[in-house]
DNA sequence: ATGGTCGAAGATCGA
């Protein structure tokens, strides 16, 4: 195994349907650890053998029928984090975590799939939006009391916090994913003690997206993207950052997800 | 302002 850790986060939108493109990602970009969201597969049907054959010997996953689901695929040994909170009283498979045992020492890794929040940005009339806001608040509170070093948070946070994380700040201010109640809460979570590893490499003044809707005739031409997927790290890991890649070409792979993989490289 | 397209289901629901 080469020196350094290559970490990927990807909302794959059905793991079983997209095993072929996952193999393509693995073959072309050789990640050491992949965190997936929206696997949409119950645990008994999880394709563990196929993933082990790809070289990911260490697996941790939590899925359910039809919706949600998260998974960590690793070439390094991992110890799953037990007894993580049951956010918002729901057992809906939106968070798993693990200690990753790297040659340089353990790193704590969290994989999140934050609720999308429905269409109407009003917690009074839209319970999905209320759930989303509450989820972020609960997670924020939880991390304030947890150790905050050698920790990495990744996932589909379903919020694009910065002006240039969306194609039109003005037109999306009242669209779920970019409303002030969401972006304020995401910033509060970040400010518990994390660093935005993607923006470490790309200044806030530059557009940066990880998701393009299926509902555009030509995603590349219209380019109405949003940065919904994130990699956050504790400040002690910043000196170990060596690179970041948004795998845009994956949006054109055969039967693509609407999200593309995000790679972060570490000298760990 | 609207609708557009996916995936898992096996009708719609969630995104």
């Amino acid at each position: 195994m080469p020196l350094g850790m290559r970490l990927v986060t990807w909302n794959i939108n059905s793991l079983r349907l997209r095993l072929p493109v996952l193999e393509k990602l693995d073959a072309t970009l050789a990640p050491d650890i992949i965190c997936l969201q929206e696997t949409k597969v119950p645990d008994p049907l999880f394709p563990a053998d196929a993933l082990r054959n790809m070289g990911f010997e260490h697996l941790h996953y939590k899925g359910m029928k039809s919706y949600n689901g998260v998974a960590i695929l690793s070439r390094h040994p991992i110890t799953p984090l037990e007894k993580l909170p049951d956010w918002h009283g729901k057992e809906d498979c939106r968070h798993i975590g693990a200690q990753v045992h790297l040659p340089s020492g353990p790193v704590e890794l969290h994989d999140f799939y934050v609720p999308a929040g429905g269409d109407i940005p009003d917690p009074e009339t839209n319970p999905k939006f209320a759930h989303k806001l509450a989820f972020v608040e609960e997670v924020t509170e939880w991390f304030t009391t947890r150790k905050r070093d050698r920790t990495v948070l990744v996932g589909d946070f379903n919020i694009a916090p910065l002006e240039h994380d969306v194609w039109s700040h003005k037109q999306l201010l009242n669209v779920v994913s970019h409303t002030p109640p969401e972006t304020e809460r995401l910033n509060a979570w970040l400010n518990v003690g994390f660093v935005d590893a993607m923006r470490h490499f790309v200044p806030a003044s530059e557009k940066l997206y990880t998701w393009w809707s299926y509902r555009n005739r030509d995603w590349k031409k219209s380019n109405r993207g949003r940065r919904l997927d994130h990699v956050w790290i504790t400040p002690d890991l910043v000196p170990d950052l060596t690179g970041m890649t948004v795998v845009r070409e994956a949006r054109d792979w055969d039967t693509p997800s609407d999200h593309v993989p995000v790679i972060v490289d570490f000298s760990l």
Side-chain angles (χ1 to χ4, degrees), chain A residues 26 40 45-46 55 58 61 86 92 121 133 167 172 176 196 228 236-237 243 246 252:
Chain A
D26 181 51
K40 293 185 175 177
L45 300 178
F46 191 85
H58 309 280
Y61 48 87
D86 185 18
D92 56 358
L133 298 183
W167 62 275
L172 288 170
V176 172
D196 182 338
L228 302 179
D236 55 313
L237 295 179
V246 176
D252 274 334

Side-chain angles (χ1 to χ4, degrees), chain A residues 128-145:
Chain A
K128 290 179 192 165
F129 194 70
H131 178 208
K132 182 179 196 174
L133 298 183
F135 185 99
V136 175
E137 288 169 10
E138 287 176 26
V139 168
T140 301
E141 176 65 25
W142 186 75
F143 273 107
T144 60
T145 60

Side-chain angles (χ1 to χ4, degrees), chain A residues 38-52:
Chain A
E38 282 209 86
T39 54
K40 293 185 175 177
V41 56
D43 291 344
L45 300 178
F46 191 85
D49 290 342
L51 298 172
R52 289 199 186 97

Side-chain angles (χ1 to χ4, degrees), chain A residues 62 83-95 131 135 138-139 142:
Chain A
K62 192 163 79 166
K83 298 179 196 163
L84 292 173
D86 185 18
W87 305 112
H88 210 58
K90 292 172 186 274
E91 299 202 11
D92 56 358
C93 306
R94 296 180 179 278
H95 176 209
H131 178 208
F135 185 99
E138 287 176 26
V139 168
W142 186 75

Side-chain angles (χ1 to χ4, degrees), chain A residues 9 71 109:
Chain A
T9 181
L109 175 63

Side-chain angles (χ1 to χ4, degrees), chain A residues 31-99:
Chain A
D32 299 297
I33 300 172
I34 302 178
C35 293
L36 299 173
Q37 305 86 34
E38 282 209 86
T39 54
K40 293 185 175 177
V41 56
D43 291 344
L45 300 178
F46 191 85
D49 290 342
L51 298 172
R52 289 199 186 97
N53 287 338
M54 286 167 60
F56 297 101
E57 290 180 40
H58 309 280
L59 304 171
H60 180 38
Y61 48 87
K62 192 163 79 166
M64 58 192 283
K65 193 173 173 181
S66 304
Y67 311 119
N68 310 332
V70 282
I72 297 174
L73 327 177
S74 178
R75 299 187 196 282
H76 298 280
I78 60 174
T79 306
L81 300 181
E82 306 292 346
K83 298 179 196 163
L84 292 173
D86 185 18
W87 305 112
H88 210 58
K90 292 172 186 274
E91 299 202 11
D92 56 358
C93 306
R94 296 180 179 278
H95 176 209
I96 52 174
Q99 287 285 340

